Amino acid sequence: MPDPRARRGRWYSLTAVLLVCACAAVSGARSVDEIAEWAARASGTVLTAVGIRRHPLKWRRAPSRTTIGRVLAAVDGDALDRVIGTYLAGRNTGEAGSGQRQVIAVDGKSLRGSARLSTGHRHLLSAVTHHQALTLAQAEVGAKTNETAHFRPLLEPLDLDGALVTFDALHSVKANVTWLVETKSAHYIAVIKRNQPTAYRQLAALPWPDVAVQHTASSTGHGRRESRSLKTCGIADELGGIAFPHARLALRVHRRRKQTGRRETRETVYAVTSLDAHQTTPANLATAVRGHWSIEALHHVRDVTFAEDASTLRTGTAPRAMAAFRNLAIGLLKSRGADNIAKTTRAIRDQPERALPLLGITNKTDALGT
């Protein structure tokens, strides 16, 4: 990580300040103030473990709120996201570890509190694993309409050989999908809506009434009952295929939702995938389509547990840096088996030393305590 600060007057190392932020985020810190409060509660042993050096007069003082804020505002956002993504990728023992195909969702999120009168809010594009909600890559884009231009740069550094990438209709761009299959050797599930009129019309015209339902699932919770059914249909190139590159199977997902006290709603979604019938099953396809919303669940945790949308950070790269540390905290806790992030962070909030082992930091110090 390049240090953006001048050498003169620098007391805390960049690594130490960023480790303080990481530990505080794992402990549930939602703002720069709460990061500074976590550091103030930390013992000398904890500060030593994260690299806070001792003053010649023997005291060891945590960085102030001003120091932390300045570092976050000036830090290289691309480098920070790259480091965190690489670290979380090393903990990705989900689908790949069990021999299953890795599934990655790509989607964007706006940082609503980061807007000013003269500028709009920051918008981030992320690549997140379905299984453990690990953020493998994140990039800041100028506006939501620019997401598609950042699709390739976001995924370029990742090893996607054999992986399945899911995304919504915004990213169902033929050039990007062609690059994904031919250059990255990955597969995709692309949702097709009316913004792709030819492909949408071809999908809707397939003989779906003659195709049997191949997978069903239902769920109840949060005041609603939902059922989903999936049909698949092979796309024969010699019969004209579908006007979408490398499409092998067409998918039709029908959803029925009944909210308590409201009328039942129904929705039909069409999608295509580069997977052949012998490479997957209807159940796996249904799981991947449903699992794409794991990235929305991650965004929900950032908003609800870490109050991301309520944050008013606007200076420099601070909004993006805080989002990166939230991704790190959620990924670490999810990989450790935490089902309830809010409950887990509350359990370690008042004991700063409990955050250290989550980041692989030991409490060992030398005989002089330096």
Side-chain angles (χ1 to χ4, degrees):
M1 287 286 299
D3 196 329
R5 302 169 297 170
R7 283 186 172 274
R8 185 175 182 179
R10 185 196 309 171
W11 176 259
Y12 301 101
S13 71
L14 179 66
T15 300
V17 176
L18 294 182
L19 282 177
V20 166
C21 295
C23 290
V26 170
S27 303
R30 298 175 293 180
S31 64
V32 177
D33 288 323
E34 291 187 11
I35 292 175
E37 290 168 5
W38 180 92
R41 290 195 304 270
S43 65
T45 302
V46 172
L47 295 178
T48 300
V50 298
I52 302 297
R53 61 185 179 136
R54 190 177 62 180
H55 191 273
L57 296 179
K58 304 296 184 181
W59 50 260
R60 199 183 308 272
R61 183 176 298 168
S64 68
R65 191 265 180 223
T66 301
T67 298
I68 295 171
R70 286 175 177 170
V71 169
L72 291 180
V75 73
D76 186 330
D78 290 332
L80 181 61
D81 276 319
R82 186 165 53 249
V83 168
I84 290 177
T86 301
Y87 179 74
L88 290 177
R91 306 179 68 89
N92 186 17
T93 58
E95 296 98 339
S98 62
Q100 299 179 4
R101 189 186 304 277
Q102 179 173 242
V103 189
I104 298 171
V106 176
D107 199 11
K109 183 184 186 301
S110 296
L111 306 180
R112 302 191 183 281
S114 63
R116 291 184 176 181
L117 292 176
S118 58
T119 59
H121 48 242
R122 311 290 181 87
H123 194 78
L124 304 176
L125 183 65
S126 306
V128 180
T129 63
H130 281 210
H131 181 66
Q132 292 180 319
L134 303 178
T135 303
L136 305 181
Q138 179 173 268
E140 183 170 347
V141 302
K144 191 168 184 178
T145 53
N146 291 335
E147 276 192 26
T148 55
H150 292 263
F151 184 86
R152 295 192 203 182
L154 178 77
L155 298 179
E156 179 65 45
L158 303 182
D159 180 10
L160 299 178
D161 190 11
L164 177 62
V165 181
T166 64
F167 39 85
D168 58 22
L170 177 65
H171 291 288
S172 296
V173 178
K174 295 180 181 179
N176 287 345
V177 167
T178 300
W179 170 83
L180 193 64
V181 174
E182 296 180 359
T183 303
K184 300 298 289 183
S185 301
H187 292 283
Y188 69 85
I189 295 179
V191 173
I192 305 297
K193 293 187 177 180
R194 297 182 188 276
N195 62 329
Q196 299 274 355
T198 302
Y200 183 86
R201 187 171 57 253
Q202 291 174 330
L203 287 170
L206 289 173
W208 295 114
D210 301 329
V211 179
V213 173
Q214 295 161 318
H215 180 80
T216 60
S218 60
S219 60
T220 302
H222 304 288
R224 65 176 180 266
R225 183 176 68 255
E226 185 175 294
S227 63
R228 301 169 297 279
S229 63
L230 179 135
K231 296 181 178 182
T232 66
C233 181
I235 303 171
D237 289 334
E238 62 272 16
L239 297 180
I242 296 293
F244 206 78
H246 300 283
R248 295 291 179 266
L249 285 176
L251 284 63
R252 176 187 178 273
V253 180
H254 186 67
R255 301 181 181 131
R256 300 173 61 180
R257 176 179 295 182
K258 178 65 170 65
Q259 196 87 19
T260 302
R262 297 184 181 179
R263 297 180 61 182
E264 181 181 82
T265 61
R266 302 186 181 189
E267 180 187 21
T268 298
V269 176
Y270 296 108
V272 291
T273 179
S274 59
L275 290 168
D276 279 314
H278 68 275
Q279 295 176 304
T280 187
T281 65
N284 287 340
L285 290 173
T287 300
V289 172
R290 176 72 171 169
H292 177 73
W293 298 107
S294 62
I295 194 169
E296 296 293 342
L298 171 72
H299 295 165
H300 181 75
V301 172
R302 278 166 46 178
D303 283 336
V304 176
T305 302
F306 290 95
E308 183 166 270
D309 273 353
S311 173
T312 56
L313 275 179
R314 302 183 181 93
T315 307
T317 57
R320 176 182 179 180
M322 286 296 294
F325 283 117
R326 293 174 189 125
N327 290 336
L328 174 64
I330 295 168
L332 281 175
L333 296 176
K334 286 284 188 181
S335 67
R336 292 290 185 117
D339 294 325
N340 189 319
I341 300 297
K343 181 179 179 180
T344 305
T345 55
R346 285 196 300 270
I348 62 178
R349 180 171 298 164
D350 296 325
Q351 299 180 41
E353 65 277 2
R354 298 187 66 180
L356 299 181
L358 293 172
L359 289 158
I361 302 173
T362 63
N363 262 328
K364 295 179 181 179
T365 57
D366 59 27
L368 296 176
T370 58

PDB file of all heavy atoms in Angstrom, residues 335-360:
ATOM      1  N   SER A 335     -16.928 -16.000   6.804  1.00  0.00           N
ATOM      2  CA  SER A 335     -16.042 -17.149   6.603  1.00  0.00           C
ATOM      3  C   SER A 335     -15.797 -17.907   7.896  1.00  0.00           C
ATOM      4  O   SER A 335     -15.397 -19.079   7.865  1.00  0.00           O
ATOM      5  CB  SER A 335     -14.708 -16.690   6.007  1.00  0.00           C
ATOM      6  OG  SER A 335     -13.976 -15.887   6.927  1.00  0.00           O
ATOM      7  N   ARG A 336     -16.024 -17.248   9.032  1.00  0.00           N
ATOM      8  CA  ARG A 336     -15.908 -17.907  10.340  1.00  0.00           C
ATOM      9  C   ARG A 336     -17.224 -18.530  10.783  1.00  0.00           C
ATOM     10  O   ARG A 336     -17.326 -19.044  11.890  1.00  0.00           O
ATOM     11  CB  ARG A 336     -15.446 -16.902  11.392  1.00  0.00           C
ATOM     12  CG  ARG A 336     -14.015 -16.404  11.225  1.00  0.00           C
ATOM     13  CD  ARG A 336     -13.018 -17.488  11.519  1.00  0.00           C
ATOM     14  NE  ARG A 336     -11.647 -16.999  11.486  1.00  0.00           N
ATOM     15  CZ  ARG A 336     -10.828 -16.998  12.530  1.00  0.00           C
ATOM     16  NH1 ARG A 336     -11.239 -17.458  13.685  1.00  0.00           N
ATOM     17  NH2 ARG A 336      -9.594 -16.551  12.399  1.00  0.00           N
ATOM     18  N   GLY A 337     -18.240 -18.463   9.932  1.00  0.00           N
ATOM     19  CA  GLY A 337     -19.507 -19.119  10.240  1.00  0.00           C
ATOM     20  C   GLY A 337     -20.531 -18.247  10.934  1.00  0.00           C
ATOM     21  O   GLY A 337     -21.547 -18.762  11.419  1.00  0.00           O
ATOM     22  N   ALA A 338     -20.314 -16.932  10.988  1.00  0.00           N
ATOM     23  CA  ALA A 338     -21.270 -16.042  11.654  1.00  0.00           C
ATOM     24  C   ALA A 338     -22.522 -15.895  10.799  1.00  0.00           C
ATOM     25  O   ALA A 338     -22.445 -15.507   9.636  1.00  0.00           O
ATOM     26  CB  ALA A 338     -20.640 -14.682  11.904  1.00  0.00           C
ATOM     27  N   ASP A 339     -23.682 -16.202  11.363  1.00  0.00           N
ATOM     28  CA  ASP A 339     -24.951 -16.045  10.657  1.00  0.00           C
ATOM     29  C   ASP A 339     -25.554 -14.666  10.883  1.00  0.00           C
ATOM     30  O   ASP A 339     -26.243 -14.131  10.021  1.00  0.00           O
ATOM     31  CB  ASP A 339     -25.948 -17.119  11.107  1.00  0.00           C
ATOM     32  CG  ASP A 339     -25.517 -18.519  10.698  1.00  0.00           C
ATOM     33  OD1 ASP A 339     -24.930 -18.653   9.601  1.00  0.00           O
ATOM     34  OD2 ASP A 339     -25.746 -19.462  11.467  1.00  0.00           O
ATOM     35  N   ASN A 340     -25.317 -14.105  12.048  1.00  0.00           N
ATOM     36  CA  ASN A 340     -25.870 -12.800  12.415  1.00  0.00           C
ATOM     37  C   ASN A 340     -24.701 -11.846  12.664  1.00  0.00           C
ATOM     38  O   ASN A 340     -24.063 -11.889  13.714  1.00  0.00           O
ATOM     39  CB  ASN A 340     -26.745 -12.932  13.655  1.00  0.00           C
ATOM     40  CG  ASN A 340     -27.521 -11.665  13.964  1.00  0.00           C
ATOM     41  OD1 ASN A 340     -26.994 -10.562  13.843  1.00  0.00           O
ATOM     42  ND2 ASN A 340     -28.770 -11.811  14.374  1.00  0.00           N
ATOM     43  N   ILE A 341     -24.402 -10.992  11.678  1.00  0.00           N
ATOM     44  CA  ILE A 341     -23.246 -10.098  11.787  1.00  0.00           C
ATOM     45  C   ILE A 341     -23.425  -9.109  12.935  1.00  0.00           C
ATOM     46  O   ILE A 341     -22.491  -8.836  13.690  1.00  0.00           O
ATOM     47  CB  ILE A 341     -23.019  -9.351  10.466  1.00  0.00           C
ATOM     48  CG1 ILE A 341     -22.769 -10.340   9.325  1.00  0.00           C
ATOM     49  CG2 ILE A 341     -21.846  -8.388  10.582  1.00  0.00           C
ATOM     50  CD1 ILE A 341     -21.536 -11.182   9.490  1.00  0.00           C
ATOM     51  N   ALA A 342     -24.633  -8.561  13.090  1.00  0.00           N
ATOM     52  CA  ALA A 342     -24.871  -7.580  14.154  1.00  0.00           C
ATOM     53  C   ALA A 342     -24.620  -8.192  15.526  1.00  0.00           C
ATOM     54  O   ALA A 342     -23.965  -7.588  16.382  1.00  0.00           O
ATOM     55  CB  ALA A 342     -26.296  -7.043  14.054  1.00  0.00           C
ATOM     56  N   LYS A 343     -25.119  -9.389  15.746  1.00  0.00           N
ATOM     57  CA  LYS A 343     -24.941 -10.058  17.036  1.00  0.00           C
ATOM     58  C   LYS A 343     -23.475 -10.365  17.290  1.00  0.00           C
ATOM     59  O   LYS A 343     -22.971 -10.208  18.412  1.00  0.00           O
ATOM     60  CB  LYS A 343     -25.768 -11.347  17.059  1.00  0.00           C
ATOM     61  CG  LYS A 343     -25.687 -12.116  18.359  1.00  0.00           C
ATOM     62  CD  LYS A 343     -26.560 -13.362  18.305  1.00  0.00           C
ATOM     63  CE  LYS A 343     -26.466 -14.158  19.604  1.00  0.00           C
ATOM     64  NZ  LYS A 343     -27.314 -15.372  19.546  1.00  0.00           N
ATOM     65  N   THR A 344     -22.757 -10.792  16.251  1.00  0.00           N
ATOM     66  CA  THR A 344     -21.349 -11.148  16.404  1.00  0.00           C
ATOM     67  C   THR A 344     -20.510  -9.920  16.723  1.00  0.00           C
ATOM     68  O   THR A 344     -19.633  -9.966  17.589  1.00  0.00           O
ATOM     69  CB  THR A 344     -20.826 -11.821  15.134  1.00  0.00           C
ATOM     70  OG1 THR A 344     -21.650 -12.936  14.819  1.00  0.00           O
ATOM     71  CG2 THR A 344     -19.400 -12.299  15.321  1.00  0.00           C
ATOM     72  N   THR A 345     -20.764  -8.807  16.025  1.00  0.00           N
ATOM     73  CA  THR A 345     -19.973  -7.605  16.305  1.00  0.00           C
ATOM     74  C   THR A 345     -20.258  -7.065  17.700  1.00  0.00           C
ATOM     75  O   THR A 345     -19.350  -6.556  18.362  1.00  0.00           O
ATOM     76  CB  THR A 345     -20.265  -6.511  15.257  1.00  0.00           C
ATOM     77  OG1 THR A 345     -21.676  -6.247  15.195  1.00  0.00           O
ATOM     78  CG2 THR A 345     -19.774  -6.933  13.879  1.00  0.00           C
ATOM     79  N   ARG A 346     -21.504  -7.196  18.170  1.00  0.00           N
ATOM     80  CA  ARG A 346     -21.809  -6.753  19.536  1.00  0.00           C
ATOM     81  C   ARG A 346     -21.055  -7.584  20.562  1.00  0.00           C
ATOM     82  O   ARG A 346     -20.659  -7.071  21.611  1.00  0.00           O
ATOM     83  CB  ARG A 346     -23.316  -6.856  19.806  1.00  0.00           C
ATOM     84  CG  ARG A 346     -24.150  -5.773  19.129  1.00  0.00           C
ATOM     85  CD  ARG A 346     -25.542  -5.703  19.743  1.00  0.00           C
ATOM     86  NE  ARG A 346     -26.274  -6.964  19.611  1.00  0.00           N
ATOM     87  CZ  ARG A 346     -27.062  -7.268  18.585  1.00  0.00           C
ATOM     88  NH1 ARG A 346     -27.229  -6.381  17.601  1.00  0.00           N
ATOM     89  NH2 ARG A 346     -27.711  -8.409  18.545  1.00  0.00           N
ATOM     90  N   ALA A 347     -20.833  -8.857  20.260  1.00  0.00           N
ATOM     91  CA  ALA A 347     -20.159  -9.745  21.205  1.00  0.00           C
ATOM     92  C   ALA A 347     -18.690  -9.389  21.393  1.00  0.00           C
ATOM     93  O   ALA A 347     -18.099  -9.712  22.427  1.00  0.00           O
ATOM     94  CB  ALA A 347     -20.289 -11.197  20.742  1.00  0.00           C
ATOM     95  N   ILE A 348     -18.087  -8.734  20.394  1.00  0.00           N
ATOM     96  CA  ILE A 348     -16.657  -8.426  20.496  1.00  0.00           C
ATOM     97  C   ILE A 348     -16.379  -6.930  20.586  1.00  0.00           C
ATOM     98  O   ILE A 348     -15.229  -6.519  20.704  1.00  0.00           O
ATOM     99  CB  ILE A 348     -15.885  -9.013  19.298  1.00  0.00           C
ATOM    100  CG1 ILE A 348     -16.367  -8.388  17.981  1.00  0.00           C
ATOM    101  CG2 ILE A 348     -16.016 -10.518  19.246  1.00  0.00           C
ATOM    102  CD1 ILE A 348     -15.612  -8.884  16.767  1.00  0.00           C
ATOM    103  N   ARG A 349     -17.429  -6.109  20.568  1.00  0.00           N
ATOM    104  CA  ARG A 349     -17.248  -4.656  20.504  1.00  0.00           C
ATOM    105  C   ARG A 349     -16.483  -4.109  21.691  1.00  0.00           C
ATOM    106  O   ARG A 349     -15.609  -3.249  21.541  1.00  0.00           O
ATOM    107  CB  ARG A 349     -18.620  -3.988  20.409  1.00  0.00           C
ATOM    108  CG  ARG A 349     -18.575  -2.466  20.342  1.00  0.00           C
ATOM    109  CD  ARG A 349     -19.951  -1.928  20.034  1.00  0.00           C
ATOM    110  NE  ARG A 349     -20.412  -2.396  18.730  1.00  0.00           N
ATOM    111  CZ  ARG A 349     -21.674  -2.349  18.320  1.00  0.00           C
ATOM    112  NH1 ARG A 349     -22.606  -1.866  19.131  1.00  0.00           N
ATOM    113  NH2 ARG A 349     -22.006  -2.780  17.132  1.00  0.00           N
ATOM    114  N   ASP A 350     -16.794  -4.557  22.893  1.00  0.00           N
ATOM    115  CA  ASP A 350     -16.182  -4.005  24.098  1.00  0.00           C
ATOM    116  C   ASP A 350     -14.919  -4.734  24.525  1.00  0.00           C
ATOM    117  O   ASP A 350     -14.361  -4.440  25.578  1.00  0.00           O
ATOM    118  CB  ASP A 350     -17.191  -4.016  25.249  1.00  0.00           C
ATOM    119  CG  ASP A 350     -18.386  -3.118  24.969  1.00  0.00           C
ATOM    120  OD1 ASP A 350     -18.181  -2.069  24.327  1.00  0.00           O
ATOM    121  OD2 ASP A 350     -19.509  -3.472  25.367  1.00  0.00           O
ATOM    122  N   GLN A 351     -14.477  -5.688  23.722  1.00  0.00           N
ATOM    123  CA  GLN A 351     -13.238  -6.412  24.020  1.00  0.00           C
ATOM    124  C   GLN A 351     -12.340  -6.356  22.779  1.00  0.00           C
ATOM    125  O   GLN A 351     -12.330  -7.277  21.970  1.00  0.00           O
ATOM    126  CB  GLN A 351     -13.530  -7.864  24.401  1.00  0.00           C
ATOM    127  CG  GLN A 351     -14.414  -7.997  25.646  1.00  0.00           C
ATOM    128  CD  GLN A 351     -14.687  -9.447  25.996  1.00  0.00           C
ATOM    129  OE1 GLN A 351     -13.806 -10.300  25.929  1.00  0.00           O
ATOM    130  NE2 GLN A 351     -15.927  -9.737  26.375  1.00  0.00           N
ATOM    131  N   PRO A 352     -11.594  -5.272  22.602  1.00  0.00           N
ATOM    132  CA  PRO A 352     -10.810  -5.065  21.382  1.00  0.00           C
ATOM    133  C   PRO A 352      -9.882  -6.214  21.034  1.00  0.00           C
ATOM    134  O   PRO A 352      -9.636  -6.486  19.858  1.00  0.00           O
ATOM    135  CB  PRO A 352     -10.018  -3.791  21.695  1.00  0.00           C
ATOM    136  CG  PRO A 352     -10.879  -3.049  22.665  1.00  0.00           C
ATOM    137  CD  PRO A 352     -11.509  -4.129  23.527  1.00  0.00           C
ATOM    138  N   GLU A 353      -9.382  -6.912  22.055  1.00  0.00           N
ATOM    139  CA  GLU A 353      -8.435  -8.003  21.775  1.00  0.00           C
ATOM    140  C   GLU A 353      -9.069  -9.161  21.014  1.00  0.00           C
ATOM    141  O   GLU A 353      -8.368  -9.945  20.367  1.00  0.00           O
ATOM    142  CB  GLU A 353      -7.819  -8.516  23.077  1.00  0.00           C
ATOM    143  CG  GLU A 353      -8.798  -9.179  24.048  1.00  0.00           C
ATOM    144  CD  GLU A 353      -9.556  -8.184  24.909  1.00  0.00           C
ATOM    145  OE1 GLU A 353      -9.354  -6.972  24.735  1.00  0.00           O
ATOM    146  OE2 GLU A 353     -10.352  -8.630  25.755  1.00  0.00           O
ATOM    147  N   ARG A 354     -10.397  -9.275  21.035  1.00  0.00           N
ATOM    148  CA  ARG A 354     -11.063 -10.384  20.349  1.00  0.00           C
ATOM    149  C   ARG A 354     -11.071 -10.201  18.835  1.00  0.00           C
ATOM    150  O   ARG A 354     -11.328 -11.147  18.095  1.00  0.00           O
ATOM    151  CB  ARG A 354     -12.497 -10.526  20.858  1.00  0.00           C
ATOM    152  CG  ARG A 354     -12.599 -10.858  22.344  1.00  0.00           C
ATOM    153  CD  ARG A 354     -14.023 -11.156  22.757  1.00  0.00           C
ATOM    154  NE  ARG A 354     -14.521 -12.372  22.131  1.00  0.00           N
ATOM    155  CZ  ARG A 354     -15.751 -12.860  22.323  1.00  0.00           C
ATOM    156  NH1 ARG A 354     -16.586 -12.208  23.103  1.00  0.00           N
ATOM    157  NH2 ARG A 354     -16.148 -13.961  21.730  1.00  0.00           N
ATOM    158  N   ALA A 355     -10.791  -8.991  18.371  1.00  0.00           N
ATOM    159  CA  ALA A 355     -10.748  -8.756  16.923  1.00  0.00           C
ATOM    160  C   ALA A 355      -9.442  -9.242  16.307  1.00  0.00           C
ATOM    161  O   ALA A 355      -9.387  -9.532  15.104  1.00  0.00           O
ATOM    162  CB  ALA A 355     -10.935  -7.270  16.626  1.00  0.00           C
ATOM    163  N   LEU A 356      -8.382  -9.341  17.115  1.00  0.00           N
ATOM    164  CA  LEU A 356      -7.065  -9.666  16.570  1.00  0.00           C
ATOM    165  C   LEU A 356      -6.996 -11.033  15.887  1.00  0.00           C
ATOM    166  O   LEU A 356      -6.516 -11.131  14.761  1.00  0.00           O
ATOM    167  CB  LEU A 356      -6.000  -9.555  17.668  1.00  0.00           C
ATOM    168  CG  LEU A 356      -5.838  -8.169  18.312  1.00  0.00           C
ATOM    169  CD1 LEU A 356      -4.737  -8.208  19.363  1.00  0.00           C
ATOM    170  CD2 LEU A 356      -5.510  -7.125  17.255  1.00  0.00           C
ATOM    171  N   PRO A 357      -7.435 -12.118  16.550  1.00  0.00           N
ATOM    172  CA  PRO A 357      -7.317 -13.421  15.890  1.00  0.00           C
ATOM    173  C   PRO A 357      -8.136 -13.542  14.609  1.00  0.00           C
ATOM    174  O   PRO A 357      -7.796 -14.332  13.731  1.00  0.00           O
ATOM    175  CB  PRO A 357      -7.805 -14.406  16.956  1.00  0.00           C
ATOM    176  CG  PRO A 357      -8.588 -13.593  17.936  1.00  0.00           C
ATOM    177  CD  PRO A 357      -7.968 -12.240  17.918  1.00  0.00           C
ATOM    178  N   LEU A 358      -9.204 -12.757  14.485  1.00  0.00           N
ATOM    179  CA  LEU A 358      -9.997 -12.804  13.259  1.00  0.00           C
ATOM    180  C   LEU A 358      -9.181 -12.342  12.057  1.00  0.00           C
ATOM    181  O   LEU A 358      -9.402 -12.786  10.928  1.00  0.00           O
ATOM    182  CB  LEU A 358     -11.243 -11.936  13.399  1.00  0.00           C
ATOM    183  CG  LEU A 358     -12.284 -12.410  14.416  1.00  0.00           C
ATOM    184  CD1 LEU A 358     -13.366 -11.358  14.596  1.00  0.00           C
ATOM    185  CD2 LEU A 358     -12.904 -13.725  13.969  1.00  0.00           C
ATOM    186  N   LEU A 359      -8.221 -11.444  12.314  1.00  0.00           N
ATOM    187  CA  LEU A 359      -7.361 -10.920  11.254  1.00  0.00           C
ATOM    188  C   LEU A 359      -6.007 -11.626  11.226  1.00  0.00           C
ATOM    189  O   LEU A 359      -5.109 -11.207  10.498  1.00  0.00           O
ATOM    190  CB  LEU A 359      -7.154  -9.420  11.445  1.00  0.00           C
ATOM    191  CG  LEU A 359      -8.395  -8.564  11.152  1.00  0.00           C
ATOM    192  CD1 LEU A 359      -8.291  -7.224  11.853  1.00  0.00           C
ATOM    193  CD2 LEU A 359      -8.541  -8.361   9.661  1.00  0.00           C
ATOM    194  N   GLY A 360      -5.867 -12.672  12.026  1.00  0.00           N
ATOM    195  CA  GLY A 360      -4.611 -13.410  12.047  1.00  0.00           C
ATOM    196  C   GLY A 360      -3.491 -12.676  12.746  1.00  0.00           C
ATOM    197  O   GLY A 360      -2.309 -12.937  12.472  1.00  0.00           O
TER     198      GLY A 360
END
